Amino acid sequence: MADNGQEESQCRIKEGDYVVLKRGDIFKAVQIQPKKKVIFEKQWFFLDNAVGHLYSTTFEIVSGGTLQPQRTKSTESCSDSKEAGTDNRNIVDDGKSQKLTRDDIEMLKEQGLKGQEIIQQLIDNSSTFRDKTEYAQDKYIKKKKKKYENTVTILRPSCRILAMMYHGREPGKICHLRYDTLAQMLTLGNIHAGSKVLVFETCAGLVLGAVMERMGGYGSVIQMYPGGGPVRAGVESFGFPAHFHDTLHEFPICHVNALLAGTLHSTAKDPSTDEKQPNIVADNAQNQLEAAQQGGAEEQSMETSTGDDADQDLEKKEKEKRREAKAQEKKMKLEEKQKKLAAAASLLACRNADGLVIASRFHPCPVLMGLLKFLSPSRPFVVYSQYKEPLVECYTKLKECGGTVNLRLTDTWLRHYQVLPNRTHPLLLMSGGGGYLLSGTTVAMDHSKPAGSQQAEEPAPKRQKLTDTEG
């Protein structure tokens, strides 16, 4: 019973949760915060009333930006009681079939009519609606619902939903990675709970979040990141529990060569340590300048009262306290970053990772050749690229160096179908391409022979039998 209650509470929206708003094919990830105005599809509202309701609940936006759960509609639709024509040959789209003007519709909104009531008014005042076929009537109603119904559905974040959201709104941020391609990456990389996975991606954290979701908080994920720090905007949108983040480690890609050479602690310092010395010098210079300014001011104002001196002493002490607190905070952050770096380095030093996933805007060949050395034999790897040519170069390089088998370079193709009675057909608009994937499996190499000479030795040619001929 306690487990059932806990599962039910997880299915309900709580304050502070990350959720996804949905209307039609449009998605947006937000966090539930009290009295915070959310703007979605040119409408603003508050999410306070959504707390306590189940996920996937559809809400109506009423006056004042308040959300109300949508009432269950009757099974009878607007067009069931209407007559339908046999075809649309006599319908002329001259713009005169609708008697209601835009001002009339705005007046209906001001009177408090909801979306369904406005749609019914539009149907009643249309002179051609009854002459349309049943399919055309359904299409008309669906189009008007999308325009006039003020509804929003709140969903629980998942890998598929967030991938569709990013691909629909900002595909450039995720290197135009489509959700079906992401699913293939998780399958080809053999991502599962309890494994150790290396991830190098520049897709706003979407691939990293998908790997963490598939692992379920068990195992370890090592994020290899370029630049000064990792980007995890997409990971935050998943809303993972705290124990999920305990399995996440980070390591800068610029220190990989030093780690492989065994010179990480001597040569690869944290960038912030190099910046610390100039900051200390600047702080000392600033302190000396402030002291000199204060000394000059004291010499000029010898006749000030003792009360002003006490105020200056208090301000000076407060400044020193703030400066010390800031320095202590920087020191703690630096120590924490160094601990994370050491923990990730110890995990990588074992060179027993179970999988490698790469999806980056950078050229994948040098990254792939460097990170493959951290994988155990007989482990899968997968590389995504929006273009084919970089992966062809990786394929050729892997064939030359050896150490991999079952290399496959594939592209993904996806097309949506409309499935309705008597009108099932492919959609007219579809995605042009989902990128390319290079996958393979590592194997142990025989280091006694050079990579170029690892060819099967051919048997010696057989001698040809000579038959004696009688002369």
Side-chain angles (χ1 to χ4, degrees):
M1 296 296 292
D3 294 340
N4 293 336
Q6 186 176 1
E7 289 179 2
E8 185 179 354
S9 65
Q10 291 178 355
C11 295
R12 294 189 178 274
I13 303 170
K14 298 184 291 294
E15 186 176 320
D17 285 356
Y18 284 89
V19 298
V20 177
L21 308 178
K22 177 180 181 293
R23 177 184 291 175
D25 297 331
I26 309 298
F27 300 89
K28 184 178 181 180
V30 296
Q31 187 181 15
I32 302 289
Q33 295 181 357
K35 299 180 181 179
K36 182 183 178 181
K37 183 186 291 186
V38 177
I39 300 176
F40 180 53
E41 287 296 289
K42 299 180 180 179
Q43 284 188 322
W44 62 270
F45 49 88
F46 300 95
L47 296 173
D48 300 50
N49 289 356
V51 176
H53 291 278
L54 293 172
Y55 279 101
S56 302
T57 303
T58 302
F59 297 89
E60 291 184 7
I61 305 172
V62 297
S63 59
T66 308
L67 295 183
Q68 287 184 356
Q70 189 179 29
R71 297 178 180 176
T72 55
K73 299 178 182 178
S74 60
T75 56
E76 183 180 1
S77 62
C78 299
S79 59
D80 287 344
S81 60
K82 303 293 180 181
E83 299 177 359
T86 56
D87 53 46
N88 299 327
R89 71 177 70 183
N90 297 323
I91 297 176
V92 181
D93 188 12
D94 54 2
K96 299 178 182 179
S97 60
Q98 183 56 249
K99 300 175 184 177
L100 291 179
T101 62
R102 182 174 296 179
D103 295 336
D104 296 336
I105 296 173
E106 292 296 329
M107 191 178 296
L108 292 175
K109 289 182 179 180
E110 292 176 359
Q111 292 175 3
L113 268 69
K114 296 183 180 179
Q116 188 68 25
E117 297 169 344
I118 294 175
I119 293 170
Q120 189 62 46
Q121 290 289 333
L122 291 172
I123 292 173
D124 295 339
N125 288 277
S126 175
S127 59
T128 58
F129 183 81
R130 293 175 180 82
D131 299 332
K132 294 181 179 181
T133 62
E134 181 182 353
Y135 303 145
Q137 289 178 356
D138 291 342
K139 192 173 181 180
Y140 177 87
I141 293 172
K142 185 178 179 181
K143 182 180 178 182
K144 297 304 178 184
K145 279 183 178 180
K146 188 176 180 180
K147 186 173 182 180
Y148 293 107
E149 276 197 345
N150 299 331
T151 59
V152 60
T153 305
I154 299 182
L155 305 175
R156 182 194 294 274
S158 68
C159 173
R160 177 185 175 89
I161 291 175
L162 291 176
M164 292 174 65
M165 180 193 74
Y166 274 107
H167 192 267
R169 296 174 68 93
E170 298 170 317
K173 279 190 174 181
I174 59 171
C175 304
H176 294 265
L177 176 63
R178 210 168 50 198
Y179 53 89
D180 61 311
T181 309
L182 179 58
Q184 291 191 33
M185 290 177 64
L186 297 177
T187 303
L188 294 172
N190 192 24
I191 309 300
H192 60 275
S195 58
K196 182 194 292 187
V197 184
L198 306 183
V199 179
F200 178 75
E201 58 112 334
T202 56
C203 299
L206 176 64
V207 178
L208 179 64
V211 171
M212 293 175 64
E213 182 189 58
R214 178 67 65 91
M215 294 178 65
Y218 299 95
S220 57
V221 184
I222 305 172
Q223 182 187 11
M224 318 297 291
Y225 64 89
V231 178
R232 296 174 180 171
V235 178
E236 294 179 358
S237 300
F238 279 87
F240 291 129
H243 71 275
F244 274 64
H245 296 276
D246 296 337
T247 64
L248 179 58
H249 307 272
E250 58 192 45
F251 191 82
I253 194 71
C254 59
H255 292 168
V256 168
N257 292 331
L259 181 61
L260 291 171
T263 59
L264 176 64
H265 297 290
S266 59
T267 60
K269 294 181 181 179
D270 197 290
S272 56
T273 57
D274 298 334
E275 298 174 358
K276 190 176 180 181
Q277 296 298 331
N279 290 339
I280 293 174
V281 175
D283 290 341
N284 292 336
Q286 186 177 1
N287 294 341
Q288 293 176 2
L289 181 61
E290 289 179 358
Q293 290 177 353
Q294 289 176 1
E298 288 176 0
E299 291 178 359
Q300 292 177 2
S301 58
M302 291 294 293
E303 297 179 357
T304 54
S305 61
T306 57
D308 295 339
D309 293 340
D311 293 340
Q312 289 179 0
D313 293 339
L314 287 173
E315 290 180 2
K316 190 189 295 184
K317 289 180 180 179
E318 288 178 0
K319 283 184 179 180
E320 289 178 357
K321 286 181 180 179
R322 286 197 297 266
R323 193 178 295 113
E324 289 177 359
K326 197 172 183 181
Q328 188 69 17
E329 185 180 356
K330 282 184 178 180
K331 186 179 178 182
M332 291 177 63
K333 285 183 179 179
L334 180 60
E335 290 177 354
E336 185 179 356
K337 195 170 185 179
Q338 288 177 346
K339 286 181 181 178
K340 289 182 178 180
L341 181 66
S346 63
L347 287 173
L348 290 171
C350 300
R351 301 195 183 187
N352 59 350
D354 298 318
L356 172 62
V357 179
I358 298 176
S360 170
R361 65 176 185 272
F362 302 110
H363 199 291
C365 191
V367 178
L368 174 63
M369 301 309 296
L371 295 182
L372 274 179
K373 300 172 184 177
F374 296 106
L375 290 184
S376 295
S378 188
R379 295 297 188 272
F381 63 90
V382 58
V383 186
Y384 166 80
S385 178
Q386 187 182 351
Y387 308 103
K388 179 173 60 176
E389 289 76 15
L391 297 184
V392 171
E393 185 176 341
C394 292
Y395 182 92
T396 307
K397 189 74 173 177
L398 290 172
K399 282 289 188 181
E400 292 175 357
C401 297
T404 56
V405 295
N406 195 24
L407 292 178
R408 296 178 60 198
L409 178 57
T410 59
D411 64 336
T412 58
W413 193 79
L414 176 72
R415 189 168 192 178
H416 290 275
Y417 276 76
Q418 171 184 288
V419 181
L420 291 172
N422 299 326
R423 44 194 162 145
T424 297
H425 60 78
L427 296 185
L428 299 179
L429 300 178
M430 60 174 285
S431 174
Y436 300 86
L437 292 176
L438 174 64
S439 60
T441 306
T442 60
V443 293
M445 292 182 61
D446 186 4
H447 295 284
S448 61
K449 298 180 181 180
S453 65
Q454 288 183 355
Q455 297 179 354
E457 296 181 358
E458 296 182 2
K462 292 182 179 180
R463 286 186 178 182
Q464 187 176 3
K465 269 189 177 182
L466 298 177
T467 56
D468 295 333
T469 57
E470 295 180 358

